[in-house]
Amino acid sequence: MKTLTALFTAAALTLTAGLAQADVRVDQIPELVKSGKIKPLEEMNQAALKLHPGATITDTDLDNHFNGYEYEVELRMADGTEWDVDFDATTGKVLSDKQDR
């Protein structure tokens, strides 16, 4: 019985973790922008490029966290250095700006 309880608990935690950080589908973004819940994707990409001039954006995701929406922008510099910049999608505030290792 303890094994069954442990397996159920592990499955529940895994499912909950997946729900806590889920990518928002691209087709949902325009409605979220229109409703004022998030800033436009292009605005966050431009903000990331201002932080890292000369970089190329390799990926941008919008995630729905329990505490709100967050843009995650990945960039690559000409020398191959990669950066991850996270923004609060509602305010545009930089949450983190770190070199990818």
Side-chain angles (χ1 to χ4, degrees):
M1 189 65 170
K2 287 183 181 181
T3 303
L4 183 59
T5 302
L7 287 174
F8 178 75
T9 302
L13 288 173
T14 302
L15 178 61
T16 303
L19 293 174
Q21 181 175 334
D23 283 347
V24 176
R25 292 191 333 255
V26 174
D27 63 319
Q28 294 174 314
I29 294 174
E31 184 57 38
L32 291 168
V33 171
K34 185 178 177 183
S35 69
K37 291 183 180 177
I38 64 169
K39 293 194 171 282
L41 176 81
E42 299 81 14
E43 189 176 323
M44 296 297 90
N45 282 342
Q46 290 303 314
L49 290 171
K50 284 182 185 178
L51 291 171
H52 300 282
T56 302
I57 294 173
T58 59
D59 190 30
T60 304
D61 291 320
L62 176 63
D63 292 330
N64 185 1
H65 297 276
F66 282 123
N67 60 344
Y69 292 99
E70 185 177 305
Y71 278 111
E72 298 174 1
V73 183
E74 297 176 9
L75 305 108
R76 179 174 291 127
M77 303 298 290
D79 66 1
T81 305
E82 295 182 353
W83 291 87
D84 294 328
V85 183
D86 296 341
F87 294 94
D88 180 305
T90 302
T91 65
K93 177 183 174 189
V94 176
L95 300 174
S96 85
D97 181 10
K98 60 186 176 199
Q99 186 175 353
D100 204 13
R101 303 209 183 250

